[in-house]
Amino acid sequence: MSSTLGTLLRVATFGESHCKGVGAVLEGCPPGMTLCEADIQPQLDRRRPGQSKLTTDRRESDRVTILSGVENGITLGTPIGLFVPNKDQRPGDYQEMRRIPRPSHADYTYQMKYGVRASSGGGRASARETIGRVAAGAVAEKMLGEVWGVDIVAWVSAIGDIAAGDVDGETINRRIVDGNLVRCPDGAAAARMEALVARIKEEKDSVGGIVTCVCRQVPAGWGEPVFDKLEAKLAQAMLSIPATKGFEVGSGFAGTRLKGSVHNDAFVAGAGRLSTRTNHSGGIQGGISNGESIVFRVAFKPPATIGLAQQTVDFDGNPVTLAAKGRHDPCVVPRAVPIVEAMTALVLGDFALRQCAVGGGR
Ligand SMILES: Cc1cc2nc3c(=O)[nH]c(=O)nc-3n(C[C@H](O)[C@H](O)[C@H](O)COP(=O)(O)O)c2cc1C
């Protein structure tokens, strides 16, 4: 039943899709940092539904309120409570789904686990849960940027079978990523992706995609050996995002096709530290950051709720045809970009504080 992540920087999220609101409690943020809602809102705006014709039509402004942990714009070192109200609920859209578990959604498994479940909207399995992550992640990101200069940027690198060309991970920024509706920096690929998602939405179907993320200026030494390896914690954080199906770091699965002589990242003398000529490791070796950019990819499935008729059975096993009502994303990856960035910031923020605790921080 864990809704908590982190060791020293700990986030707990709360809320269902159709309750009064959602949010997070963030513990461990150091005192004395300037913080206000305006620091958090931009990432929530990038996550919010209804932001473009390619996302769900649910209308939510998703305005965040800081409930606690901040006074006169300065963090107190106490738990930071973050709250966003749910406004545009339409539980009626889910009437039919009360007796029919949606194929590949979480209705069946929640019912089997608890014997009861939120009656509409997917409850905790809804993407609304990720609001708390994004709000808390924005705070972690502010800390990482101000103290260590860490810079995190994610973008859409594939939708369906359309893949973006090479993107320069050292120069990509959020302004470029937000240059089109699908958040893909390769303009030609983005245009094809937009057309694909629009067509899929028209067909009442859905499609998956991949988000790539780069983290620059992460100092060497973050991450713990063995079970709390940096890539293991990143994988856990990414695979906890709804609709994720895969995670790979650096060369990932493609690296299996290279020989060691090609794959090895040879060291070169750098300014004050060793750097590497290539970065197949994705900035992590032995579970610890090596000072190169951290690069990983996250695979998202086609969302489960589709308007197209599907043959399935109800909870009693009776054959039924389900054509889902309601407002749903035909493809989640454009909205998943700030969620991936947020989860990255929460993991790196935790390791930053853990490194300080062993005397290796600033
Ligand atoms: C940004 C975002 C938006 C999503 N929108 C929808 C949606 O509109 N309809 C849907 O069925 N699933 C949507 N999902 C996915 C579900 O939350 C998730 O697939 C479902 O709870 C099943 O969980 P699982 O993917 O962990 O198996 C979305 C996920 C994300 C990250």
Side-chain angles (χ1 to χ4, degrees):
M1 277 204 269
S2 173
S3 290
T4 305
L5 179 81
T7 301
L8 293 183
L9 187 68
R10 288 164 60 84
V11 62
T13 70
F14 62 85
E16 286 81 37
S17 52
H18 289 177
C19 70
K20 289 197 173 155
V22 292
V25 177
L26 183 68
E27 284 187 284
C29 181
M33 186 175 94
T34 60
L35 186 69
C36 64
E37 279 90 352
D39 294 317
I40 300 168
Q41 196 58 49
Q43 283 294 78
L44 287 174
D45 291 344
R46 296 175 83 218
R47 194 223 72 96
R48 108 185 141 71
Q51 63 182 271
S52 87
K53 61 180 189 220
L54 300 181
T55 65
T56 168
D57 297 324
R58 181 168 171 164
R59 300 274 157 209
E60 295 279 1
S61 57
D62 286 349
R63 306 298 303 177
V64 68
T65 301
I66 300 175
L67 297 177
S68 65
V70 178
E71 198 176 271
N72 299 323
I74 304 287
T75 57
L76 298 170
T78 54
I80 299 173
L82 302 160
F83 182 72
V84 169
N86 286 329
K87 289 189 170 150
D88 187 17
Q89 298 117 314
R90 289 192 202 156
D93 285 348
Y94 292 83
Q95 201 72 26
E96 203 177 20
M97 299 173 208
R98 283 181 197 156
R99 58 180 189 90
I100 306 169
R102 282 170 292 173
S104 289
H105 212 288
D107 307 329
Y108 180 74
T109 49
Y110 270 56
Q111 187 68 35
M112 288 303 103
K113 182 172 179 63
Y114 297 107
V116 62
R117 69 184 200 285
S119 57
S120 62
R124 289 287 287 160
S126 159
R128 301 243 3 112
E129 182 274 336
T130 65
I131 286 176
R133 301 166 184 244
V134 172
V139 180
E141 197 179 352
K142 187 162 196 279
M143 175 189 80
L144 286 165
E146 288 181 358
V147 182
W148 289 277
V150 170
D151 190 19
I152 302 167
V153 183
W155 64 93
V156 169
S157 48
I159 293 184
D161 58 6
I162 304 168
D166 284 343
V167 171
D168 182 357
E170 298 310 307
T171 55
I172 187 71
N173 60 46
R174 289 184 189 171
R175 189 183 47 77
I176 296 172
V177 171
D178 287 354
N180 55 62
L181 296 185
V182 284
R183 297 205 161 98
C184 171
D186 174 345
R192 291 169 57 217
M193 290 174 184
E194 282 184 27
L196 173 65
V197 178
R199 178 164 58 79
I200 290 283
K201 187 176 183 185
E202 190 71 26
E203 291 170 0
K204 300 185 174 178
D205 211 336
S206 66
V207 64
I210 300 174
V211 173
T212 298
C213 185
V214 63
C215 316
R216 299 182 287 243
Q217 311 299 330
V218 176
W222 289 6
E224 303 290 322
V226 193
F227 295 118
D228 280 3
K229 284 180 165 180
L230 179 48
E231 70 263 58
K233 285 292 171 189
L234 282 171
Q236 182 196 356
M238 295 310 140
L239 294 176
S240 76
I241 300 172
T244 49
K245 283 288 171 231
F247 172 85
E248 55 177 13
V249 60
S251 58
F253 285 89
T256 60
R257 297 197 292 270
L258 300 178
K259 292 182 182 158
S261 53
V262 179
H263 191 263
N264 285 350
D265 296 320
F267 286 106
V268 290
R273 67 172 180 94
L274 298 186
S275 60
T276 63
R277 196 171 290 134
T278 51
N279 190 17
H280 294 121
S281 306
I284 306 173
Q285 288 159 340
I288 299 169
S289 59
N290 67 358
E292 303 301 311
S293 290
I294 294 172
V295 186
F296 60 86
R297 287 169 293 284
V298 189
F300 288 83
K301 71 181 183 183
T305 316
I306 54 174
L308 266 186
Q310 301 177 86
Q311 301 307 315
T312 182
V313 298
D314 65 17
F315 273 106
D316 297 324
N318 305 306
V320 286
T321 302
L322 176 67
K325 294 199 190 73
R327 300 152 295 168
H328 299 283
D329 289 289
C331 178
V332 306
V333 284
R335 293 182 58 210
V337 163
I339 306 172
V340 167
E341 290 167 346
M343 295 310 292
T344 306
L346 288 165
V347 170
L348 291 181
D350 190 36
F351 279 123
L353 298 187
R354 289 171 78 170
Q355 184 64 359
C356 290
V358 295
R362 282 229 163 154

